[in-house]
Amino acid sequence: MPIFVNKETNQFHLQGKNVSYIFTILKNGNPGHLYYGKKIRHREDFSHLLQLPSEPLGNMCFPYEGDQLFSLEFLKQEFPVYGTSDFREPAVVVKHANGSRTSGFVYQSHRIEKGKPSLEGLPGVYVHSGEEAETLVLTLHDGVADVSLELLYTVFHDRDAVIRSSRIVNGGDIPITVERLLSASVDFPVKDYDFLHLNGAWIREGHVEKTALRKGLQSIDSKKGVSSSKHNPFFALCSKASTEYAGEVYGFSLVYSGNFFGGVEVDAHDVSRAMIGINPFGFEWRLEKGESLQSPEAVMVYSDRGLGGMSATYHELYRTRLARGEWRDRERPVLINNWEATYFDFHEDKLLDIAGEAADLGIELFVLDDGWFEGRNHDTSSLGDWTPDKRKLPRGLDGLREGMPAHQGFGIWVEPEMISVKSSLYEEHPDWVLGVEDRPLSHGRNQFILDLSRDEVVEHLYRVLSDVFSSADIMYVKWDMNRNMTEVGSREHLQGEVAHRYVLGLYSLLERLTKAFPHILFESCASGGNRFDPGMLHYMPQTWTSDNTDAVERLKIQWGTSLVYPLSSMGAHVSNSPNHQTGRSTPIEMRFHTAMFGAFGYELDATALSHEEKAAVREQVTFFKANRKLIQFGSFHRLVSPFEGSDAAWMVSDANEAILAFYRVLAKPNPSLIRVPMRGLDPDGLYELKGSGTRYYGDELMNVGFLIPPFFSGTVRTENTIMTGDFQSAIWKFEKVGDAR
């Protein structure tokens, strides 16, 4: 039983595998926070955890006349409002008809449900059985305005995650406007944490940044209409003593693909208020009588095993209970994409040559990228007109597919949320463009955005895309979005609602398409990682991690992204050298050793490879196929951070085998020998290093570490190679052959 209720004291204890979350109802009817952290035993009364001042508080305001000990500015709260003696950041703000923003949400009732309810119109974590989890629904009510607020908490029996969201319902006759509705707020009793988040930009996504908490507000957000490459919708509070594998860490991840806000406010008493949800900037949502607004859900993960423990919980949860569909548990095909091989300049014969050569190398899926539709010879036209260009593809998509090797899968690129001014769709429906009437439009990549907040636009896209996806034997779709939102407005809705309604329209479209075409493997992309978030993973089990395919930069991008997201979700390809984004030249071995830790493929012209390169690719593909089940479903462990020096290492393991990878970005003169402690092995297991016959016990490899030799003899290399020069890498495969017992 993961949820306990102490009825006499109005206390609620959510208990997961190794985590406890406890709150109470304060004497004014507001929920007050008591504890969040390592699992503790249940007891009938947790009142001793409520921290009240021992003497009257100075310069504060108090709800009760004569009581100078009870102030919401001092107490830790569960879902705070502003202005009723708490002046910190609120979780909810409602504007009433008289212009007031004062609300009083007090406890009314609660119920406990088996399993986890889905959220109307929003993606979320799910359960296969009601026995996996329980959900507490706490109902608060504002009697003056007749407005209800539901707080939803789901806790799993065998996981260290607490899932939170909120829902507001207008029961009164007078409309209200919701100006802020966050998904979660937690008041921590101290400020001795580091604030960790994933910072970045286009082709530099997912960089780990950590700073100490300080007084005031520290926050990350997006106002771009997408979750953004600037900040991922995730942050963590890390105890000062925490490392990759030790210490307490609290993760906050938002299952949402639009504007978000996440941050921590440290007050005068060193209480740290952590918050995450839809960005309140520019947001307003009008509710008539009987209408409701549901927030996205926040996935809060507790770990007493450092960042690695937090990541392990997110990886397993998001891979098995967020991603869905046929491809969730299927091994992903090795693909080749023609974008960096041809860009817009191609014809059917060239594509068939690439596909055929790729098939000879063992590559299982050919993906036709941008430029296949009518008039699309550059990025200034044709978005919205999803008709094959007969000058490039005289037999259309189906004819191209027929010309490919029969055993090879076929995929295409689309960017359906966008529209070009030079397009038939724009000529017919210029009013479908997202924008503010009578204001000029900013452009991005010479294109504009369709207003997915409008039902007729969503319906049009569903019909057109269904026709395209049915026109050939298509098994993969890369869904791109190459610009952020500007002039966010609509002719049909309140302007403060448009950004969120757009996301809801996108989710509605994806829900219908993924159900209509369950056999298609969808990959999300938004100029690379500009919309890499849990919301998209609910519909598309993998995301193009970055437009930057440089093996060196990808070490940082993939390391940071892996803090939250499993390898199965991270699209990673071997591309040409010199790299098209950085101009850096790296060996094809290093490019493979980096890209293989993800949803793997190639981004190059297979016909232009040398004989030696083709041999290397053939060997790489063979190795990956033999090990992709381990890579996709195994446990990923970060070992040596690329953010802390010129070396990096990580590994993946399951009960019977492991692959270790080591990278040296820059050469070192007279280098020292390095031992890398491995993770996730059976300490009593006996492991053999494949290709050498050398055997190690698991406790040796984890406690003593694996000695990185001065030369590499990686699985893909055929002979020992002295580790000289920049951009060196190797991988080692270990197989369990017995145990010490």
Side-chain angles (χ1 to χ4, degrees):
M1 179 179 180
I3 298 179
F4 303 90
V5 179
N6 295 339
K7 294 182 180 180
E8 291 187 4
T9 54
N10 278 331
Q11 295 168 351
F12 302 86
H13 181 189
L14 288 71
Q15 197 177 75
K17 183 179 181 181
N18 299 295
V19 63
S20 284
Y21 190 100
I22 307 172
F23 64 92
T24 187
I25 303 301
L26 302 171
K27 72 176 186 177
N28 69 336
N30 292 167
H33 186 72
L34 295 180
Y35 174 75
Y36 176 34
K38 190 173 179 63
K39 183 176 180 178
I40 60 175
R41 71 182 76 249
H42 183 67
R43 57 187 292 168
E44 293 304 315
D45 189 2
F46 288 106
S47 297
H48 61 289
L49 298 182
L50 182 63
Q51 295 177 335
L52 291 171
S54 57
E55 58 185 38
L57 297 166
N59 194 31
M60 287 192 181
C61 299
F62 309 94
Y64 297 103
E65 184 71 28
D67 185 348
Q68 297 187 60
L69 298 179
F70 187 91
S71 173
L72 298 179
E73 186 177 359
F74 180 86
L75 291 166
K76 290 182 284 297
Q77 295 183 67
E78 195 62 21
F79 211 75
V81 298
Y82 173 80
T84 57
S85 77
D86 187 355
F87 302 97
R88 295 169 291 180
E89 287 288 319
V92 57
V93 175
V94 175
K95 181 180 178 181
H96 302 281
N98 63 2
S100 166
R101 291 173 174 81
T102 298
S103 298
F105 292 108
V106 299
Y107 171 76
Q108 184 180 63
S109 64
H110 74 271
R111 68 181 187 273
I112 296 175
E113 302 177 1
K114 278 192 171 184
K116 180 182 181 296
S118 59
L119 305 183
E120 183 178 358
L122 287 166
V125 172
Y126 57 88
V127 296
H128 281 314
S129 164
E131 303 306 314
E132 290 184 48
E134 284 188 353
T135 297
L136 169 68
V137 182
L138 191 77
T139 300
L140 312 177
H141 188 252
D142 183 335
V144 175
D146 194 12
V147 176
S148 296
L149 176 64
E150 293 182 346
L151 305 182
L152 285 77
Y153 302 79
T154 296
V155 62
F156 288 84
H157 295 267
D158 297 321
R159 306 176 196 268
D160 295 329
V162 177
I163 319 296
R164 292 189 57 181
S165 68
S166 57
R167 179 173 176 263
I168 195 164
V169 183
N170 183 15
D173 296 324
I174 302 174
I176 61 171
T177 300
V178 181
E179 296 183 332
R180 175 186 289 223
L181 184 64
L182 299 184
S183 300
S185 177
V186 181
D187 284 355
F188 291 87
V190 297
K191 68 174 181 66
D192 297 325
Y193 297 104
D194 289 325
F195 181 67
L196 181 148
H197 61 96
L198 300 179
N199 198 357
W202 175 67
I203 68 171
R204 200 180 68 246
E205 299 89 345
H207 280 217
V208 179
E209 186 165 318
K210 184 165 67 173
T211 56
L213 287 185
R214 50 171 171 71
K215 294 292 177 67
L217 178 65
Q218 293 166 263
S219 65
I220 56 173
D221 79 336
S222 173
K223 304 180 186 71
K224 296 186 172 185
V226 292
S227 48
S228 89
S229 53
K230 178 182 176 184
H231 298 295
N232 197 268
F234 154 82
F235 69 88
L237 292 183
C238 309
S239 63
K240 293 295 185 179
S242 65
T243 63
E244 184 66 37
Y245 289 101
E248 289 193 313
V249 175
Y250 298 85
F252 294 80
S253 174
L254 189 67
V255 186
Y256 190 60
S257 306
N259 294 335
F260 77 93
F261 163 83
V264 182
E265 182 181 15
V266 179
D267 68 12
H269 301 282
D270 292 340
V271 171
S272 302
R273 175 168 291 173
M275 306 155 284
I276 196 165
I278 293 176
N279 198 333
F281 177 84
F283 177 85
E284 60 176 1
W285 196 275
R286 182 181 173 91
L287 293 179
E288 302 286 347
K289 179 180 175 63
E291 292 182 337
S292 64
L293 174 65
Q294 171 69 54
S295 78
E297 64 184 31
V299 179
M300 306 186 331
V301 166
Y302 168 77
S303 167
D304 64 351
R305 296 175 292 114
L307 287 168
M310 178 199 72
S311 297
T313 299
Y314 275 126
H315 289 183
E316 203 273 340
L317 182 66
Y318 282 178
R319 187 182 64 78
T320 66
R321 293 297 183 269
L322 178 66
R324 326 175 280 175
E326 293 183 11
W327 285 98
R328 188 193 75 173
D329 298 326
R330 286 179 61 182
E331 294 181 20
R332 309 285 169 75
V334 180
L335 67 81
I336 188 166
N337 186 298
N338 75 297
W339 178 242
E340 290 193 16
T342 65
Y343 294 103
F344 295 109
D345 184 17
F346 60 80
H347 50 80
E348 181 181 293
D349 291 342
K350 177 61 176 178
L351 298 177
L352 292 178
D353 287 344
I354 295 175
E357 188 66 55
D360 289 342
L361 298 175
I363 295 173
E364 301 157 305
L365 170 64
F366 172 77
V367 179
L368 173 58
D369 210 282
D370 194 359
W372 60 266
F373 44 100
E374 199 165 84
R376 186 68 167 176
N377 298 312
H378 38 72
D379 64 7
T380 64
S381 71
S382 305
L383 289 172
D385 298 344
W386 301 104
T387 302
D389 190 332
K390 292 300 181 68
R391 288 169 295 183
K392 297 180 179 179
L393 305 174
R395 298 183 296 161
L397 293 175
D398 192 43
L400 175 64
R401 175 65 190 94
E402 289 180 359
M404 292 168 51
H407 62 278
Q408 189 177 52
F410 176 48
I412 62 168
W413 174 99
V414 292
E415 194 173 3
E417 299 165 69
M418 299 294 138
I419 186 171
S420 302
V421 171
K422 296 178 182 178
S423 68
S424 298
L425 183 62
Y426 185 85
E427 292 178 3
E428 295 172 12
H429 295 288
D431 58 311
W432 282 7
V433 173
L434 191 72
V436 177
E437 200 168 6
D438 301 325
R439 297 282 185 182
L441 288 175
S442 305
H443 69 82
R445 207 193 181 212
N446 302 298
Q447 61 198 46
F448 300 107
I449 303 177
L450 290 170
D451 184 0
L452 267 65
S453 72
R454 298 174 61 168
D455 292 340
E456 66 268 34
V457 176
V458 172
E459 186 61 38
H460 167 80
L461 288 177
Y462 176 74
R463 185 175 64 255
V464 170
L465 293 171
S466 295
D467 290 343
V468 173
F469 298 163
S470 302
S471 67
D473 183 16
I474 294 172
M475 67 168 290
Y476 167 100
V477 168
K478 181 178 180 181
W479 184 296
D480 213 340
M481 184 200 188
N482 278 305
R483 63 157 292 179
N484 300 304
M485 295 183 188
T486 57
E487 294 83 42
V488 182
S490 174
R491 304 181 185 205
E492 294 198 350
H493 305 292
L494 291 174
Q495 302 312 301
E497 298 180 356
V498 175
H500 182 52
R501 286 191 181 275
Y502 181 98
V503 177
L504 295 178
L506 172 64
Y507 288 156
S508 172
L509 177 60
L510 296 180
E511 182 75 22
R512 294 173 66 186
L513 285 171
T514 53
K515 286 184 176 179
F517 299 92
H519 64 284
I520 290 181
L521 170 58
F522 286 90
E523 178 174 286
S524 172
C525 178
S527 287
N530 199 39
R531 195 166 60 185
F532 198 136
D533 58 67
M536 294 304 291
L537 288 184
H538 188 67
Y539 305 100
M540 304 183 180
Q542 61 190 57
T543 299
W544 183 227
T545 315
S546 176
D547 280 343
N548 191 340
T549 54
D550 173 48
V552 173
E553 177 59 25
R554 271 298 188 115
L555 292 175
K556 292 182 177 179
I557 292 172
Q558 291 173 211
W559 176 286
T561 304
S562 76
L563 284 176
V564 191
Y565 304 101
L567 296 189
S568 60
S569 70
M570 296 161 51
H573 296 172
V574 172
S575 64
N576 284 312
S577 184
N579 181 263
H580 287 200
Q581 290 78 43
T582 65
R584 183 183 285 121
S585 296
T586 55
I588 196 168
E589 289 85 2
M590 185 182 190
R591 284 175 270 156
F592 170 64
H593 293 157
T594 303
M596 62 175 278
F597 289 90
F600 175 63
Y602 291 84
E603 193 97 6
L604 45 73
D605 185 350
T607 67
L609 296 174
S610 67
H611 176 75
E612 292 76 17
E613 288 172 326
K614 288 179 181 179
V617 168
R618 187 173 287 108
E619 193 171 358
Q620 291 169 4
V621 171
T622 299
F623 178 81
F624 182 82
K625 288 179 180 179
N627 293 279
R628 65 177 151 194
K629 184 176 181 180
L630 169 64
I631 294 168
Q632 184 172 334
F633 303 117
S635 298
F636 182 65
H637 305 274
R638 297 178 297 270
L639 304 176
V640 179
S641 173
F643 292 98
E644 297 176 2
S646 188
D647 294 342
W650 54 43
M651 63 173 287
V652 64
S653 65
D654 64 13
N656 297 307
E657 53 189 353
I659 298 175
L660 169 67
F662 182 85
Y663 310 87
R664 172 150 292 168
V665 175
L666 297 178
K668 297 179 180 180
N670 193 17
S672 303
L673 296 179
I674 298 172
R675 285 192 180 272
V676 175
M678 297 175 66
R679 299 285 177 177
L681 305 178
D682 176 3
D684 296 319
L686 182 63
Y687 291 85
E688 182 171 295
L689 176 59
K690 190 173 181 180
S692 75
T694 307
R695 294 186 172 187
Y696 309 83
Y697 286 111
D699 58 355
E700 291 179 299
L701 291 171
M702 292 191 293
N703 298 326
V704 180
F706 178 69
L707 180 64
I708 304 296
F711 57 85
F712 285 155
S713 54
T715 305
V716 175
R717 299 197 181 191
T718 58
E719 58 185 26
N720 291 343
T721 304
I722 301 299
M723 188 175 64
T724 58
D726 299 335
F727 317 130
Q728 298 296 309
S729 65
I731 53 177
W732 295 270
K733 175 73 179 291
F734 297 83
E735 293 181 345
K736 186 178 178 182
V737 294
D739 55 57
R741 293 186 292 272

